[in-house]
Amino acid sequence: MSDRVVKSATLKGGVLLALLAFSVVSPDLAWLAVHRPPENAVQEILLPGIATVGVLLSLSSRLWIGALLLVPWAIIAPLEAYYVLDFGKSVDSHLLGIIADSNFSEASNFISGVVALFVAIDLIFILVAVAAPFLSFRLQLCWTGRSRYWVLLASLFVLVLPEIMKFHGPVRALPIEAAQAAGRSPGSALADDGFPEVFDYLERVYPAGVPSRAYAYVQQRRALREAQKMLSGFGFQAFQESPVDVRQVYLLVIGETGRPDHLQLNGYDRETTPRLVSQDRLLSFRNAFSPWAWTRMSVPIILTRKPGEDNNQFFPERSLVSAFREAGFRTYWFSTQSPLGPHDSSIALHAAEADETRYLNVADYKTEGVFDGALLSPVDQVLKRAEPKVLIVLHTLGGHFNYADRYPNAFEKFLPSLKGLDNAGLHNREIRREFNNSYDNSLLYFDYFMSSLISRLEKESIVSSMFYIADHGENLYDGMCEKAGHGRGNDYDFRVPALFWYSKGYEELFPDKLKAIASRVDSPISTTNVFHSILDGANIHYPGERLESSVFGKNWKPSPRITQNKIDFDLADREGDCKRLVAKSPKTD
């Protein structure tokens, strides 16, 4: 083989190695495009990302070994880069949990509409990832001389520099009692990973932060495994004050993906809730809020006393379901969401608290599966049992994307819709009209479903009420906004619809409670109020209750509404066409 051929092959190997390195740091480069000004992104994201590549590539003088270490990170880099570009943040343990909780189809919706482009880019990355180590091995490319050691040392220095400047040592998990004494929640103690804080610093960096994210996810799973042990002895000591002899049935309907401004009830110019509009004893809260735009984090806040700013998946208390059971109620949980194992989801843990738990949807989010109307049959079965005191929790699919899969053809009123479209996705603003039409059609079905529940309760002539609230909001290509779906950090992510219906029997039994809640339909309420309100609304009490957090309470007062991004929802600025929430800048003289 001539020297020219050898040099040419060596050059090709070097180019492939450079392309491989570029592939691996592409998510870190994406941060530069998303975060302006980019100075902090260069220092905190890009340089550590390059340093990580430098460490892996310089570990051995045989370059094929370093190239092989980079292969897996190059293959999954497009997913990370896409997530950074579209959502402005790196893949975290919460997204990993969504994928692992049998909700991969929900996660896959993030790339719907850009699948072809995504696959094409990933194929290129895979081709480079395969070719680089193969050619390096075939040519026996070696990194000789001291330069490899200097690169290794410099790269390690970049990675550990922040810890050298502020070294705190490893974080050690505290026992639950010590955590409480230190003012930390038991959930936080369970989530302690024992990792050095450098892993916290590198969490956003790709690929250096991936082990930290994965470990955080594993720790959440560990916390959930411990959850049942901790909850086994937990009790509210709940009781129903002045219990009455008449039969009582209370419904809590947990919605999925709601938009209060698309309800005809709230002044929307389309007839999306024609049945509910005609209901006499129905209240609609127009200023309701959810602190989280992820179902797996938002639903536990609805069900428990978990603070909205708590970002741990597990909260070490039982839910309102158990409080109702303690007060002598027979409890039911029916769901059209995915059936999850009791140790795999904090939602499933609370669902398992019910006397009877049933998951009715065997399909995933990619297909129609069953509609929420499937929940009517088990409700009918419960009502026929004529049990004296009943709580029913319904966890619905509501308006979860694809909206066209959430309603039967009979509710296809607003046209054209997403039904039958091959390019239906969250990244195609050209179908904005079809997108909104299908969402509004799903509300028509929601209107039918909720009205059907009301009619069933009315026929029973009992003391009954129904509280509905959605877990989070949704972006619908609003105005000139290019975003759809949820988890964007926009105003639309956190506004949710909330409704309260009550029977004549309830009105006669609790006139003061109705007077109080009716006065708060325009007040700033939150999903954090639901636990306290549902129990108070059923006249269930317990030691240490906070009636100021109940919308039925005489002394109710609004609390600060803080989003998952630690931004005060009511004080934040709204930025751009998408109304992205931005913490208000302090005034300067």
Side-chain angles (χ1 to χ4, degrees), residues 99 170 228 270 290 334 379 390 405 407 421 426 431 470 481:
I99 296 173
Q228 285 192 323
R270 278 182 161 181
S290 173
F334 303 132
V379 169
V390 172
D405 290 339
Y407 57 88
L421 284 186
L426 299 176
I431 58 171
C481 180

Side-chain angles (χ1 to χ4, degrees), residues 17 20-21 24 52-74 129 132-133 136-137 141 143 148:
L17 287 172
L20 179 62
V24 174
T52 305
V53 173
V55 169
L56 295 178
L57 205 55
S58 60
L59 283 176
S60 172
S61 61
R62 291 172 289 182
L63 285 172
W64 70 267
I65 294 178
L68 202 61
L69 292 174
L70 295 176
V71 167
W73 309 117
S136 299
F137 176 79
L141 295 181
W143 189 347
R148 181 172 67 86

Side-chain angles (χ1 to χ4, degrees), residues 249 279-283 450 453-458 462 464-468 499-504 506 514:
V249 176
Q279 293 291 337
D280 295 329
R281 296 183 302 279
L282 181 68
L283 302 176
M450 294 293 289
L453 290 172
I454 291 173
S455 66
R456 282 161 166 76
L457 293 176
E458 283 184 322
I462 54 178
S464 59
S465 70
M466 178 173 63
F467 193 96
Y468 162 87
L499 307 173
F500 178 72
W501 175 88
Y502 54 94
S503 69
K504 290 181 180 179
Y506 187 93
L514 283 180

Side-chain angles (χ1 to χ4, degrees), residues 220-276:
Q220 287 183 351
R221 291 300 192 195
R222 181 185 66 86
L224 287 173
R225 286 193 297 271
E226 295 294 324
Q228 285 192 323
K229 296 179 183 179
M230 293 184 62
L231 295 180
S232 61
F234 181 86
F236 292 101
Q237 302 177 43
F239 61 96
Q240 188 174 41
E241 185 178 3
S242 303
V244 294
D245 294 332
V246 295
R247 187 177 172 210
Q248 303 170 72
V249 176
Y250 299 102
L251 261 70
L252 170 61
V253 183
I254 302 173
E256 170 72 57
T257 312
R259 278 290 294 259
D261 57 338
H262 276 243
L263 295 182
Q264 181 186 355
L265 275 171
N266 294 339
Y268 189 46
D269 59 4
R270 278 182 161 181
E271 294 184 350
T272 55
T273 56
R275 295 175 178 84
L276 292 177

Side-chain angles (χ1 to χ4, degrees), residues 25-32 35 38-52 80 84 90 158-159 201-208 213:
V25 299
S26 59
D28 303 314
L29 291 169
W31 276 86
L32 302 184
H35 295 84
E39 287 81 4
N40 289 340
V42 171
Q43 177 183 345
E44 298 177 6
I45 305 296
L46 182 58
L47 287 181
I50 295 174
T52 305
E80 174 86 4
V84 169
S90 57
V158 169
L159 292 177
Y201 155 66
L202 292 173
E203 191 166 1
R204 293 178 300 167
V205 179
Y206 185 87
R213 302 174 209 169

Side-chain angles (χ1 to χ4, degrees), residues 158-197:
V158 169
L159 292 177
V160 302
L161 178 61
E163 286 305 295
I164 293 175
M165 297 177 66
K166 61 174 189 66
F167 180 74
H168 297 291
V171 179
R172 299 188 183 276
L174 295 174
I176 301 302
E177 294 78 8
Q180 291 174 321
R184 299 170 62 250
S185 71
S188 297
L190 284 175
D192 277 342
D193 54 23
F195 265 39
E197 287 189 358

Side-chain angles (χ1 to χ4, degrees), residues 313-343:
Q313 183 183 354
F314 168 70
F315 182 64
E317 287 188 6
R318 290 189 181 271
S319 72
L320 58 86
V321 176
S322 288
F324 268 85
R325 289 187 67 183
E326 291 180 19
F329 281 74
R330 177 76 177 178
T331 57
Y332 298 88
W333 181 291
F334 303 132
S335 175
T336 48
Q337 296 262 4
S338 299
L340 308 176
H343 296 286

